[in-house]
Amino acid sequence: MPTCNIGILVSGRGSNMLAIIRAIERKRIKGARVAVVISDKREAKALDSAMRHGVDAVWLDPAEAASRLDYDMRLLDVLKDKGVTPKDGLVLLAGFMRLLSPEFVEAFGGRILNIHPSLLPSFPGLRAQEQALEREVKVSGCTVHFVVPEVDSGPIVLQRAVKVEEGDTPETLSARILRQEHLIYPIAVRLFVEGRLKIEGRKVLIRGK
Ligand code: GAR
């Protein structure tokens, strides 16, 4: 099986990124390597963590780009340069807080995954955990999905439910959801790398389950 080169896009802490790097280090995901981590924020903690694990880390400054499309084409160049190609690479969004242009998403069609801290289609966009608390739901959770041009709406790969407890704050709920994110994102990546995910319209078929 050829190695799948993975590019991870981040903006901050990078705990999901670390969960994936560790899953590869511990051979829970085989046949893949993280070729590069790219952040739009210079101060992102994820950049240091990636380097500590021997992964190339790149800060790509949005201020240097003429437009969203220009930024995304620069992203594409860095990814390709590191061997993450639209043909056989994989792009993971892990707390990447920029919207991607349709051109970028189409270039990598079906090869971009995102993790979101709610049970989509509930609570897309920002502050998903706060939205869940404001709506007084009893259960929330997290979702790994393929990325399409529309925000947080691509075909769903995996979800985990998390009970909302009486007295939860955005912080306590986020922390419990995050623990589940760290479990399901590496599983989804493993399934992708093993070629077991097939998109059929809105549905993701998981082979061999
Ligand atoms: C995670 O909770 C992730 O689900 C969320 O940002 C956090 C990043 O944490 N992503 C979104 O809200 C995307 N819409 P991390 O940097 O520690 O992985």
Side-chain angles (χ1 to χ4, degrees):
M1 191 168 63
T3 301
C4 176
N5 283 326
I6 298 176
I8 307 184
L9 309 188
V10 296
S11 296
R13 181 177 53 188
S15 68
N16 278 290
M17 172 208 76
L18 264 186
I20 286 150
I21 290 175
R22 287 196 177 117
I24 292 173
E25 286 173 351
R26 292 169 188 170
K27 310 231 178 315
R28 294 200 186 116
I29 301 171
K30 294 184 188 122
R33 60 184 277 268
V34 179
V36 65
V37 168
I38 306 172
S39 171
D40 62 329
K41 298 263 178 358
R42 188 188 359 206
E43 68 280 9
K45 218 177 117 197
L47 291 174
D48 288 336
S49 315
M51 284 190 286
R52 258 184 273 120
H53 284 260
V55 173
D56 282 355
V58 174
W59 167 49
L60 204 56
D61 186 359
E64 282 178 11
S67 63
R68 180 181 307 283
L69 184 57
D70 181 35
Y71 186 83
D72 288 3
M73 292 306 111
R74 288 163 187 245
L75 262 184
L76 202 58
D77 284 345
V78 176
L79 288 165
K80 283 184 184 164
D81 204 49
K82 302 286 181 183
V84 185
T85 69
K87 187 173 153 272
D88 52 15
L90 172 63
V91 175
L92 301 176
L93 311 187
F96 186 62
M97 290 314 196
R98 280 178 68 85
L99 293 180
L100 290 168
S101 58
E103 289 83 354
F104 181 93
V105 173
E106 268 145 36
F108 263 98
R111 305 191 81 87
I112 312 175
L113 292 173
N114 180 40
I115 183 128
H116 184 77
S118 76
L119 292 176
L120 291 171
S122 290
F123 314 128
L126 296 174
R127 304 169 29 256
Q129 305 93 332
E130 275 176 70
Q131 292 185 55
L133 289 174
E134 278 158 19
R135 188 59 188 75
E136 301 285 350
V137 294
K138 306 291 187 196
V139 175
S140 191
C142 48
T143 303
V144 178
H145 64 93
F146 281 102
V147 172
V148 295
E150 301 73 37
V151 177
D152 296 334
S153 33
I156 290 170
V157 181
L158 294 174
Q159 293 186 300
R160 272 285 165 86
V162 172
K163 202 166 165 284
V164 179
E165 306 285 357
E166 202 59 47
D168 254 338
T169 62
E171 291 70 32
T172 58
L173 180 60
S174 299
R176 283 208 313 291
I177 292 175
L178 194 65
R179 283 203 285 279
Q180 299 306 315
E181 294 183 38
H182 296 164
L183 297 178
I184 66 168
Y185 211 1
I187 296 173
V189 171
R190 176 170 60 75
L191 292 169
F192 180 93
V193 170
E194 291 173 356
R196 290 167 61 191
L197 302 181
K198 186 160 179 255
I199 305 173
E200 276 188 4
R202 217 173 229 180
K203 190 179 172 85
V204 178
L205 293 171
I206 304 179
R207 281 180 272 210
K209 211 173 99 168

